[in-house]
């Protein structure tokens, strides 16, 4: 079996394909994110992105032993000097 058909078979059996293909009919934040991904990179890569997102959510819920919060927004921690991390990355950090 060539890699392309194996990958295609994996996509068809993954539960993210129905979520990707029906995202346009829903108006929740995840569906809007998914619609943007499909428009930018196509439905197959959007399936991979959704599976990755689901895996990261699952890992976070399991390791933190907290309930899932769909409205959670992650925030980058401050840099070494207390400035936002982006300032440290731009070399304006004085630490």
């Amino acid at each position: 079996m060539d890699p392309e058909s194996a990958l295609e078979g994996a996509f068809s059996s993954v539960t993210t394909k129905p979520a990707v293909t029906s995202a346009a009919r829903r108006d929740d934040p995840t569906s809007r994110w998914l619609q943007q991904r499909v428009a930018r990179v196509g439905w197959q890569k959007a399936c991979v992105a959704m599976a990755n997102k689901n895996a990261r959510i699952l890992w976070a819920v399991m390791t933190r032993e907290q309930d899932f919060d769909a409205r959670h927004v992650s925030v980058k921690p401050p840099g070494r000097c207390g400035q936002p991390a982006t300032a440290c990355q731009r070399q304006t950090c004085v630490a």
Side-chain angles (χ1 to χ4, degrees), residues 9-62:
F11 280 134
S12 65
S13 64
V14 173
T15 58
T16 56
K17 183 179 178 184
V20 170
T21 56
S22 66
R25 295 191 298 261
R26 293 186 307 277
D27 192 36
D28 58 281
T30 302
S31 295
R32 288 191 300 268
W33 174 84
L34 207 45
Q35 288 173 331
Q36 292 170 353
R37 287 281 179 264
V38 170
R40 212 172 86 219
V41 299
W43 73 267
Q44 292 161 325
K45 288 183 181 178
C47 279
V48 173
M50 188 71 221
N52 188 345
K53 185 178 183 105
N54 286 341
R56 289 172 182 270
I57 290 170
L58 181 61
W59 176 83
V61 167
M62 288 173 46

Side-chain angles (χ1 to χ4, degrees), residues 76-86 88 93 95:
K76 284 187 176 181
R80 295 183 305 233
C81 61
Q83 294 181 8
T86 53
C88 289
C93 182

